[in-house]
Amino acid sequence: MKIKNVVVIGSGTMGCGIAAQLCNANIPVTLLDLTTEITEKAKERIFKSRPPLLIDKSKIDNISIGNINDNFDTVSQADWIVEAVVERIDIKHNIYEKIFKSRKNGSIVSSNTSSIPIKILSEKLSEDEKKDFCITHFFNPVRYMDLLEIVKSENNDLEKINSLKTFCEKDLGKGTIVCNDTPGFLGNRIGVFAMQVAMTEAFRMKLTIEEADAVFGRPMGIPKTGVFGLYDLIGIDLMADVLKSFIKELPENDEFQKVAKEIPLVKKLIETGYTGRKGKGGFYRINKTDNKKTLEGINLENGEYSISKKFNLGSERMDIVNLINRDDKYGEYAWSVISKIIKYASSLVPGITDKFNDIDEAMRLGFNWTKGPFEMLKEIGVKNFFDKIDSFENNKFLENLSKTKDENFYGERQLYTDLETLGKIKPKATKIDKNNSAEIYRFNDFNIVEFTTKANALDYDSMDSLKNATDKPLIIINEAMQFSAGVNLSYTMDFADKGDFKSIEKFVKYFQETCKHLKYSKYPVVSAPSGLALGGGFEVLCQSNFVVSHTNIVVGLVETIVGLIPAGGGCKEMLWRWSQTDEARNDPDYAPLKVFEIIGYAKTATSPIEAEPFKYLKPDDKKIMSRNSLLSVSKKIIEQNKDFKIPQEASFQFSGKVVYEKMIKMLEKLYNDKTILDHGVQVGKELAYVLSGGDTTVDKKLSEDDLYKLELDAFMRLIETQKTQDRIKHTLATSKPLVN
Ligand code: NAI
């Protein structure tokens, strides 16, 4: 079955998200709601959404809109009809009645429900209709959340479910897991349970919200929002509704019931409008007094707010074993939470799925956990786990494991997909090197480098791994959310604080050397980015020979924001790309001026399609919807480039002072308009000097090394200034830019 035409009914948050993702995949989609006015507004919301639901504005043309009275005939054309209306069974039933009267034979009908069992949704359908009906549970925001759960019933035609799965995986790019019809399906059943355990244990053990979030966060391989931060993000009232639905759907003796009980403080927060970030605040709130914003945190015991201070646990690295073995209340909290999650998740096998592996993958895809509960168990070690755990009655999985004591119980990863992913390959590959910032794997006849730092920020060790891995064709790819957010600024500032600028210079030189090495090594280098590829991350990418980009990337050179200029070859590479245009052949100042604007304004693109007009990406760079396909596409490029030829070194001709003066005029205007302040001018001047070719004239040829040198010198002059250091410190502390 081919899906060429889709109707989405209900144009709220989820309907819009699903429709937008179909647009991204170039699938014509009709969005219907009660009135055309509602869908008109929905279409506008999709167009203007931030972060954007569309990978390119032009994709909006794939959408048609209408209302369920006048335009319902569109359903008869559709291969797939997705219902995403409000969570009310009477409304959903009415819609299904209409859909099954109009749809063409064999089309798939699915609901996006988050909590209503398929049994109830389909209770009024005929046996034949039930064959084509399932739940497709997308997560919000659809473009960015990888998980899609397809919930099947015993009536389904499995071949059809599989072809829908393939479509959702390959065309829509979702990590698609097929599961049984049980309350909350996979992701939410475990994810919400985990949040409730983390919360109730924090109350019980009298932890502050900052302490709990510091433990139930990065050290556990969980996003830094932790539990209370995540509660605020999702909405405290929405979470209460989710819990009510679990309480109603789950049997009384389910462990979930114990942690889902209403907490008086939470009830009070909802009643007083403290519903989280969308409300007056939540567990955290921003207090504005005298025009100053302060972050405050709630005291779980008395409900009062006071200034929130980030709690420092010592290390933010994921290290479950050390965390649970800590001899303090944080270790105790971590063990209590993790062991309860492992116990609960394993007690549900095989009820909610016979593949425990799918639970782990649902947690990765839907909650951005680095490891799911079973991988945590594997990391703790089977023996250690059973030495530490008190009881596990009525848990077949653990009873069994306690007998076999099989440390290798886990087996393969990512069983839900047939694609050859990084997650599947890693356990089979040989780890040939590892340092604090990256790991090198050898698989068949190529190498893989995976960065492993926070947001994959780059430092000396990251470069070392890249450089050491070029003795074979190389793929730079990672499982974490970000390809790389750029050079590690704390690492750089540590040297600057000590006045050790020599070490910074050494690092930047090594960065340049490594990037040059990537570009001109004997074997092809492929970068396969997903998420952030900013600053230094982009410099690695743009000096790789090939790029296989996920459609969800944020890419750009953003160094000027922190008072620096790109010095790992970013200026040079952008100049080269813009120098290859027809306009540049006629005008030596064309490329420098273009790049001055792009880097000067720190322009970013939020998809590979948006990246092309900036020349951050090239037309022949691959743009891939399915993240799971990045590795296989990269591999194919390597196979196709057995006779890879090292590219010729680039050379440049710029007008030096002539174009420099033009840039200075632009800076003066910005300064006079108060768009930039003193240091903005200084950074702009340094950038102008590099991009104009320095002390040169148009008849002189500059090499790549000349440009690397210009970048390095300008970078060093800037990092030594107090104002650049102020910018960096401010950004590190607040994640916001400082204008000075
Ligand atoms: P929403 O409240 O944002 O949008 C619902 C839309 O349905 C509205 O535009 C409304 O006008 C429309 N609608 C109501 N009655 C209708 C009818 N008879 N015919 C056509 N349209 C009608 O809701 P949201 O958040 O988009 O949720 C939709 C579904 O997705 C629900 O079943 C929800 O449980 C589920 N879901 C929601 C998630 C979320 O994060 N918001 C996540 C996953 C699933």
Side-chain angles (χ1 to χ4, degrees):
M1 190 204 56
K2 265 213 131 1
I3 294 176
K4 292 197 205 129
N5 186 326
V6 182
V7 169
V8 175
I9 303 177
S11 64
T13 310
M14 296 309 290
C16 280
I18 298 164
Q21 191 65 0
L22 286 155
C23 287
N24 289 337
N26 287 326
I27 309 289
V29 50
T30 307
L31 192 52
L32 301 179
D33 207 297
L34 292 167
T35 66
T36 307
E37 215 187 336
I38 298 178
T39 39
E40 240 162 29
K41 287 208 176 111
K43 190 174 170 183
E44 212 176 292
R45 273 203 317 277
I46 293 175
F47 193 73
K48 292 188 179 156
S49 52
R50 286 261 130 215
L53 291 171
L54 296 174
I55 58 175
D56 188 56
K57 295 267 189 211
S58 67
K59 298 283 181 190
I60 195 82
D61 296 338
N62 289 318
I63 222 172
S64 310
I65 53 166
N67 67 69
I68 48 160
N69 296 315
D70 306 324
N71 309 100
F72 211 78
D73 55 335
T74 49
V75 164
S76 64
Q77 309 294 318
D79 305 306
W80 178 22
I81 301 112
V82 188
E83 168 275 304
V85 305
V86 282
E87 192 77 331
R88 268 193 38 199
I89 189 64
D90 53 334
I91 295 179
K92 291 192 194 268
H93 275 159
N94 281 339
I95 288 176
Y96 302 152
E97 195 185 337
K98 264 180 98 171
I99 293 175
F100 280 100
K101 270 190 196 145
S102 318
R103 66 148 193 167
K104 69 176 174 193
N105 236 341
S107 59
I108 298 181
V109 182
S110 73
S111 170
N112 195 60
T113 183
S114 45
S115 62
I116 308 176
I118 209 168
K119 233 185 280 112
I120 295 174
L121 288 173
S122 64
E123 65 193 359
K124 299 194 171 168
L125 303 183
S126 72
E127 288 307 300
D128 245 17
E129 290 169 341
K130 281 180 187 169
K131 267 193 200 161
D132 296 338
F133 181 82
C134 65
I135 291 171
T136 45
H137 181 228
F138 287 90
F139 283 62
N140 183 38
V142 177
R143 177 180 165 194
Y144 297 97
M145 291 303 291
D146 282 334
L147 180 59
L148 164 65
E149 294 172 322
I150 297 185
V151 185
K152 63 173 173 26
S153 74
E154 65 272 21
N155 301 297
N156 280 129
D157 170 352
L158 282 186
E159 219 167 278
K160 204 167 262 180
I161 294 285
N162 274 337
S163 72
L164 177 65
K165 174 180 184 266
T166 306
F167 171 81
C168 291
E169 182 166 43
K170 302 225 169 106
D171 291 63
L172 298 187
K174 296 294 112 189
T176 308
I177 297 184
V178 178
C179 59
N180 299 336
D181 186 24
T182 57
F185 320 129
L186 295 191
N188 281 346
R189 179 77 172 272
I190 309 296
V192 176
F193 176 83
M195 284 174 72
Q196 289 310 113
V197 168
M199 174 181 272
T200 49
E201 287 299 283
F203 271 96
R204 184 181 70 79
M205 293 179 62
K206 300 194 189 324
L207 258 60
T208 67
I209 59 171
E210 290 85 356
E211 287 170 333
D213 284 352
V215 180
F216 188 82
R218 285 214 175 97
M220 281 196 197
I222 289 171
K224 65 172 180 187
T225 36
V227 53
F228 294 100
L230 183 59
Y231 237 92
D232 283 353
L233 186 70
I234 296 175
I236 300 177
D237 51 342
L238 194 91
M239 279 300 293
D241 289 342
V242 171
L243 290 178
K244 275 185 202 137
S245 139
F246 273 114
I247 291 171
K248 187 169 142 245
E249 296 295 335
L250 290 172
E252 262 175 41
N253 62 351
D254 194 288
E255 281 294 306
F256 205 124
Q257 301 282 7
K258 288 189 192 152
V259 293
K261 289 199 178 79
E262 195 172 61
I263 298 172
L265 177 68
V266 176
K267 185 165 175 254
K268 193 173 145 222
L269 283 172
I270 299 170
E271 283 167 358
T272 50
Y274 279 86
T275 51
R277 290 197 199 173
K278 64 175 177 186
K280 291 197 251 175
F283 292 102
Y284 295 93
R285 73 171 185 194
I286 302 285
N287 197 356
K288 233 174 156 182
T289 29
D290 305 331
N291 263 338
K292 237 186 108 194
K293 286 184 190 168
T294 7
L295 179 68
E296 296 184 339
I298 204 164
N299 180 319
L300 294 179
E301 288 191 81
N302 60 22
E304 301 202 340
Y305 288 92
S306 59
I307 290 177
S308 174
K309 271 206 209 94
K310 201 174 164 220
F311 175 70
N312 185 355
L313 197 63
S315 163
E316 284 198 337
R317 259 184 183 274
M318 182 182 182
D319 187 346
I320 289 178
V321 177
N322 270 323
L323 187 66
I324 59 172
N325 285 333
R326 277 173 76 119
D327 199 12
D328 57 14
K329 63 176 170 178
Y330 310 115
E332 196 188 323
Y333 173 69
W335 168 246
S336 176
V337 171
I338 288 180
S339 59
K340 283 186 171 60
I341 295 170
I342 293 174
K343 266 211 255 186
Y344 188 61
S346 55
S347 75
L348 301 176
V349 178
I352 66 169
T353 171
D354 46 5
K355 287 191 238 125
F356 66 81
N357 184 286
D358 281 357
I359 295 179
D360 280 355
E361 298 304 335
M363 295 313 295
R364 284 171 184 275
L365 295 164
F367 286 78
N368 290 321
W369 285 20
T370 308
K371 289 186 176 180
F374 297 88
E375 286 172 295
M376 290 184 182
L377 169 56
K378 180 179 146 197
E379 185 176 330
I380 293 167
V382 172
K383 183 176 180 306
N384 284 346
F385 180 81
F386 285 110
D387 284 350
K388 226 169 145 65
I389 195 91
D390 45 9
S391 64
F392 46 90
E393 65 273 5
N394 298 328
N395 185 322
K396 290 247 148 35
F397 183 93
L398 290 183
E399 276 169 18
N400 201 11
L401 192 61
S402 74
K403 284 183 203 131
T404 64
K405 293 251 162 45
D406 181 6
E407 296 286 347
N408 298 318
F409 76 94
Y410 200 83
E412 291 192 23
R413 273 193 46 205
Q414 296 186 330
L415 298 174
Y416 73 91
T417 176
D418 292 335
L419 295 166
E420 192 177 33
T421 58
L422 179 60
K424 278 190 183 176
I425 274 191
K426 270 194 320 196
K428 296 183 206 156
T430 319
K431 203 186 269 187
I432 55 177
D433 203 4
K434 172 185 162 74
N435 59 31
N436 280 331
S437 308
E439 299 185 354
I440 308 179
Y441 296 90
R442 166 84 43 88
F443 187 71
N444 295 346
D445 55 351
F446 63 90
N447 289 339
I448 294 170
V449 167
E450 182 176 30
F451 300 134
T452 55
T453 53
K454 186 166 133 190
N456 283 345
L458 305 172
D459 56 21
Y460 204 92
D461 278 350
S462 337
M463 292 302 117
D464 220 33
S465 291
L466 287 178
K467 200 150 180 236
N468 292 336
T470 48
D471 60 334
K472 290 272 174 196
L474 170 63
I475 300 173
I476 310 166
I477 187 169
N478 56 279
E479 279 202 272
M481 262 163 92
Q482 324 297 5
F483 178 74
S484 167
V487 161
N488 185 342
L489 287 174
S490 325
Y491 169 81
T492 319
M493 266 322 285
D494 283 349
F495 291 125
D497 279 339
K498 287 184 249 155
D500 181 6
F501 294 103
K502 274 267 161 299
S503 292
I504 298 180
E505 188 172 357
K506 187 173 153 217
F507 166 58
V508 177
K509 268 192 182 155
Y510 195 49
F511 198 113
Q512 295 185 338
E513 207 181 302
T514 306
C515 287
K516 192 172 174 196
H517 196 72
L518 292 179
K519 193 170 170 188
Y520 297 112
S521 74
K522 196 168 143 203
Y523 299 103
V525 174
V526 186
S527 273
S530 186
L532 301 180
L534 295 173
F538 170 72
E539 290 175 310
V540 166
L541 177 159
C542 73
Q543 290 169 95
S544 303
N545 306 110
F546 302 94
V547 175
V548 176
S549 171
H550 184 217
T551 38
N552 289 353
I553 53 162
V554 177
V555 68
L557 288 167
V558 292
E559 285 82 348
T560 54
I561 295 175
V562 286
L564 294 168
I565 60 122
C571 294
K572 172 212 66 148
E573 201 55 35
M574 289 296 281
L575 282 169
W576 171 247
R577 290 179 180 198
W578 281 94
S579 295
Q580 305 311 299
T581 56
D582 288 341
E583 293 92 333
R585 272 184 255 286
N586 301 324
D587 174 6
D589 296 348
Y590 179 76
L593 289 171
K594 272 282 172 194
V595 180
F596 185 61
E597 235 183 274
I598 294 167
I599 299 181
Y601 285 113
K603 300 242 182 193
T604 53
T606 56
S607 78
I609 301 174
E610 276 182 25
E612 247 187 65
F614 295 117
K615 301 201 188 297
Y616 282 142
L617 287 186
K618 295 185 282 197
D620 50 357
D621 289 335
K622 297 267 182 288
K623 299 153 183 87
I624 310 284
M625 285 282 276
S626 150
R627 203 180 165 193
N628 277 345
S629 301
L630 292 183
L631 187 82
S632 54
V633 177
S634 305
K635 229 178 106 183
K636 208 161 173 190
I637 290 180
I638 286 180
E639 279 156 20
Q640 287 163 349
N641 280 279
K642 290 239 155 63
D643 318 315
F644 174 71
K645 297 215 168 36
I646 301 173
Q648 271 204 326
E649 280 216 28
S651 71
F652 306 81
Q653 279 170 282
F654 299 125
S655 67
K657 209 165 176 141
V658 179
V659 66
Y660 179 78
E661 293 298 339
K662 290 183 191 170
M663 293 175 191
I664 298 303
K665 285 234 157 62
M666 289 161 76
L667 287 174
E668 277 165 5
K669 181 164 185 318
L670 289 173
Y671 185 73
N672 292 335
D673 294 346
K674 298 203 165 51
T675 312
I676 56 174
L677 306 180
D678 291 348
H679 197 55
V681 175
Q682 193 170 350
V683 176
K685 278 184 177 168
E686 290 292 357
L687 181 65
Y689 190 70
V690 176
L691 297 177
S692 59
D695 184 14
T696 187
T697 50
V698 79
D699 50 343
K700 242 164 101 180
K701 269 203 174 155
L702 299 175
S703 67
E704 288 192 67
D705 285 344
D706 292 331
L707 282 159
Y708 275 131
K709 176 86 172 70
L710 284 168
E711 286 182 2
L712 174 69
D713 291 346
F715 183 96
M716 291 313 300
R717 283 192 293 273
L718 285 169
I719 190 83
E720 287 181 27
T721 64
Q722 188 56 47
K723 285 194 170 166
T724 282
Q725 293 176 21
D726 291 345
R727 281 194 186 192
I728 295 176
K729 280 185 186 151
H730 183 83
T731 300
L732 282 172
T734 64
S735 304
K736 297 206 170 73
L738 171 73
V739 182
N740 60 359

